[in-house]
Amino acid sequence: MQKQLPQQVCGIALPKAFEINDFLKKLQMKYFRAISIGAMVWGLLFISFAILGIVPLIKDSLYLQASAVGILIVPFTIFGASIFYKNGNKERGITVGVIMALTALSLDALITVPFIEIPKGGSYQSFYSFPLLWLLALINITTVYLYWKLKIKRI
């Protein structure tokens, strides 16, 4: 005989086990989707930095490269946000933006710093203490938030 779970605790109705399982699956998919799209946006920015690193007038100035990427990050992030919200997802923009930014910063720690920065004489400290990196992260978060506020929250 299978033991039945209580239907209420202290007068509060409990959700059924399958509802909790469905909720967790949806939550995992939202976060996985945000992480995947964050990785895609990071990849586009990584390629942009790589291309700008060989352009004659820009290749010697990290500030010019970061400024160009600061402009490119907006359409890349809007593209990523449009994919994230495409299927009716309504997750708060600030949450999605932070997840995307943390994904990019993590990929920088795993790929950019050890394979690009350290061979050029840089370090994790020099990379993560560069102010324009944090400005790019803030632009990413703000862009996703504004996309959500203007296109999703209105609906």
Side-chain angles (χ1 to χ4, degrees), residues 41 73 77 97 100-101 104 135-145:
V41 171
I73 195 171
T77 303
M100 288 172 63
L135 180 61
L136 292 174
L138 184 63
I139 291 170
N140 181 39
I141 294 167
T142 304
T143 303
V144 175
Y145 174 76

Side-chain angles (χ1 to χ4, degrees), residues 10-24:
C10 298
I12 299 172
L14 294 174
K16 295 178 182 161
F18 72 88
E19 290 174 349
I20 293 172
N21 202 17
D22 287 346
F23 170 76
L24 290 175

Side-chain angles (χ1 to χ4, degrees), residues 40-109:
M40 178 196 69
V41 171
W42 175 85
L44 292 170
L45 293 172
F46 186 85
I47 291 168
S48 299
F49 263 116
I51 292 170
L52 291 169
I54 59 173
V55 173
L57 297 173
I58 298 177
K59 72 178 181 178
D60 296 326
S61 173
L62 185 57
Y63 285 98
L64 285 175
Q65 290 177 25
S67 298
V69 170
I71 294 167
L72 292 172
I73 195 171
V74 174
F76 291 163
T77 303
I78 290 171
F79 176 64
S82 70
I83 292 171
F84 181 83
Y85 290 110
K86 186 177 182 180
N87 295 333
N89 201 334
K90 301 224 185 294
E91 187 70 34
R92 293 181 53 87
I94 195 81
T95 304
V96 176
V98 167
I99 291 170
M100 288 172 63
L102 288 174
T103 300
L105 292 168
S106 299
L107 288 169
D108 282 336

